[in-house]
Amino acid sequence: LDIPSHEYKTPIRSHSAKINDVAVDPQRKQFSTVSDDGSVRVWNFETCEQLFQFDLPDQRVCCIAYHPQRPIIACGCSDGLVRVFDISKASLIQEHKQHAQDILKVMFHPQGSFMYTGGSEGTICVYDVQQNYMPMKYLTTSVPSGLICMAVSPDGRYFATVGTEQSSVLIFDGVTLTSHAKIFTTVKLVKSIQFSPDSSEIFIVNVDSDVEVYDIETQKIVKHIPPIPNTDYRAFNIDLIHDRLVLTGGGDNLIRIWEYVPQDEALLPSQSFAGHVSTIKKIVTTKSEYVISLGDEEGIYTWKLLPSGGLYDDDEGSDEEQVDEQKFYASQDAQKLPFSHYKSLNMTNRT
């Protein structure tokens, strides 16, 4: 309260219950969060000031996604409804109920022509965005309740989900949704799937944190990344902007940054960053240098990728020795040192 003017100003706002998901606006410096308190909140990325709030009484909002071109967000709720909001008008524009239970994941096609929702009962619904989000196709998976896996390739050519066998992955044409390929993995249960930045490979993570990489055209395994002891990849993100980075997080409460080189047999040595006090369940990267991480029983952490000298330091005034990349990979130093000379993370905010 400003006493002379009698005007109020709210210095900070917050969710009043567990945050379930976070998404970054691909066009503006904003991000959104959803929570068990039934609210959808839009924040300024740099100031963390709340810009908008949509309230859904008596609901748990489970997931959220941004439309790739428009100021639109889609939210999946515990009542099986997917709700679509226009941020610029601060209004609800569509809602559909195609699931009997919680919607655990919602996502858009990279061109914005389709929307996908996955329910805890194991069904996936595809919507035509141009036709007022009309449901157009259903897919059934065999994943257990509480787990849903689906991904769209960065170029929009493919859509992937778990098949009727819990160890198989189905790949569909991204536009016609006709069957393209079926990959039989060696894992017991697929936990998450993600396409490579060039859309030629698919990363499959199982419940034991084994990572298998398959070529989409041949359906053959091209790489196996064994798990690290006492580490689980609950959050697994291939940075599509800095496309040589893989970010992981899990029950050890650490964010790990790896460098992925397609021709190598394994991820290069990682660097770890502490800050979370609970399991990390999601990591999101942005078009700028920022990273957002979400803890299971806590809030949002925002980080900033910092160049720190060495291989990729463009600062001519740096006192650190510039290393020849090819010679470095051939040396023993590449296996001895964490990859801190590539990028560092600096926590900028904890909300």
Side-chain angles (χ1 to χ4, degrees), residues 208-281:
D208 297 323
S209 294
D210 273 302
V211 181
E212 294 183 345
V213 186
Y214 288 83
D215 183 274
I216 294 177
E217 293 305 320
T218 65
Q219 293 91 57
K220 293 182 178 180
I221 187 169
V222 295
K223 183 178 296 187
H224 172 255
I225 304 170
I228 296 177
N230 303 318
T231 301
D232 68 289
Y233 300 141
R234 183 169 178 183
F236 188 89
N237 185 291
I238 302 173
D239 188 346
L240 299 180
I241 308 302
H242 314 89
D243 60 8
R244 295 178 65 179
L245 295 183
V246 174
L247 294 88
T248 64
D252 58 0
N253 308 343
L254 295 175
I255 293 178
R256 299 177 186 269
I257 297 185
W258 316 75
E259 187 176 17
Y260 173 66
V261 180
Q263 63 269 25
D264 287 354
E265 291 300 322
L267 297 176
L268 294 183
S270 69
Q271 186 178 6
S272 302
F273 299 92
H276 282 273
V277 296
S278 65
T279 298
I280 300 171
K281 61 183 181 181

Side-chain angles (χ1 to χ4, degrees), residues 75-122:
C75 305
C77 303
S78 57
D79 61 355
L81 273 167
V82 57
R83 295 174 169 90
V84 183
F85 297 92
D86 188 326
I87 298 177
S88 62
K89 299 178 181 178
S91 63
L92 175 69
I93 59 174
Q94 288 290 333
E95 64 177 9
H96 291 277
K97 184 176 176 62
Q98 304 298 326
H99 298 279
Q101 301 177 25
D102 299 5
I103 297 178
L104 300 181
K105 192 166 185 178
V106 58
M107 61 194 306
F108 282 95
H109 188 275
Q111 278 73 53
S113 51
F114 302 108
M115 183 179 73
Y116 312 86
T117 57
S120 60
E121 73 277 7

Side-chain angles (χ1 to χ4, degrees), residues 22 55 88 127 159 164 262 317 351:
V22 59
D55 290 314
S88 62
Y127 307 78
F159 172 78
T164 53
T351 307

